[in-house]
Amino acid sequence: MPRRKQAAAVQLESLDLGHLALFVGMRVNDVVLEEIHAAGFTGLRYAHGFVFQHLLGGPRSIGELAGLLEVTQQAASKTVAELEKLGYVEEAGSEDARVRRVRLSGRGQAAVDKSRAARAGLEERFRRSHGIRAVEEAHKLLADVLESLGGSEAVRTRRVRLPR
């Protein structure tokens, strides 16, 4: 059996800004998930955050979630059922018995709070390691780049979609 040639190591500085930002974001998300899992918020996946972002403002129907997530009602319902089973969302009252509404449970809100605390801790770590000014400049650069690419409104309005 022929041996595969090992690919050459990637020089991080040679990557374009988009890839570097993506890889930093992916690693930050991994670290945050590890921290919240260790704190007892098990079963959560990166994709669940896209549901959580739409429940932060209050209850939503499955149909609303499906529209916001740009998935079928069946897919939204399946994800909600999974989050309900894990205790992160719960049924919310509805004026229309045909419409099922859900909201973050106390456990779901606690998971959000832990995630925010983990992210704040990483930001503090970056400030200590790289300096306040460098982190502020990185924030400004990435925010300006996002704005220039037309992606800032989706972030501001919590309408970031799951990557395709």
Side-chain angles (χ1 to χ4, degrees):
M1 182 180 233
R3 290 186 83 189
R4 282 188 158 168
K5 236 182 172 181
Q6 189 166 357
V10 174
Q11 298 301 314
L12 298 180
E13 296 81 10
S14 71
L15 294 173
D16 63 79
L17 187 62
H19 277 111
L20 277 171
L22 172 67
F23 297 145
V24 168
M26 290 170 63
R27 185 63 191 136
V28 165
N29 288 336
D30 287 346
V31 170
V32 169
L33 274 176
E34 290 165 9
E35 197 167 318
I36 63 176
H37 288 164
F41 298 102
T42 56
L44 287 175
R45 295 181 284 114
Y46 172 72
H48 292 146
F50 293 90
V51 174
F52 277 43
Q53 77 173 333
H54 297 301
L55 296 177
L56 286 170
R60 299 263 190 189
S61 71
I62 301 300
E64 285 176 301
L65 283 173
L68 291 165
L69 295 167
E70 297 183 9
V71 298
T72 64
Q73 283 198 4
Q74 182 180 10
S77 185
K78 181 179 176 186
T79 302
V80 165
E82 179 182 357
L83 288 168
E84 276 182 310
K85 185 176 178 183
L86 292 167
Y88 297 110
V89 300
E90 62 190 13
E91 192 103 12
S94 176
E95 295 170 8
D96 184 342
R98 298 169 294 172
V99 177
R100 183 164 177 251
R101 294 174 60 80
V102 294
R103 65 178 167 229
L104 287 176
S105 66
R107 180 171 169 74
Q109 186 58 57
V112 169
D113 295 343
K114 178 61 183 170
S115 174
R116 288 175 175 168
R119 289 179 182 284
L122 285 171
E123 283 286 315
E124 182 54 35
R125 174 179 155 191
F126 301 151
R127 285 180 172 86
R128 281 194 316 270
S129 298
H130 304 288
I132 293 169
R133 185 173 179 188
V135 173
E136 287 174 354
E137 288 174 356
H139 273 267
K140 182 170 178 6
L141 173 64
L142 290 172
D144 288 350
V145 169
L146 184 63
E147 184 79 40
S148 75
L149 294 172
S152 58
E153 189 60 22
V155 173
R156 283 189 189 99
T157 59
R158 295 189 182 277
R159 293 184 183 267
V160 177
R161 294 187 330 233
L162 188 62
R164 308 235 187 276

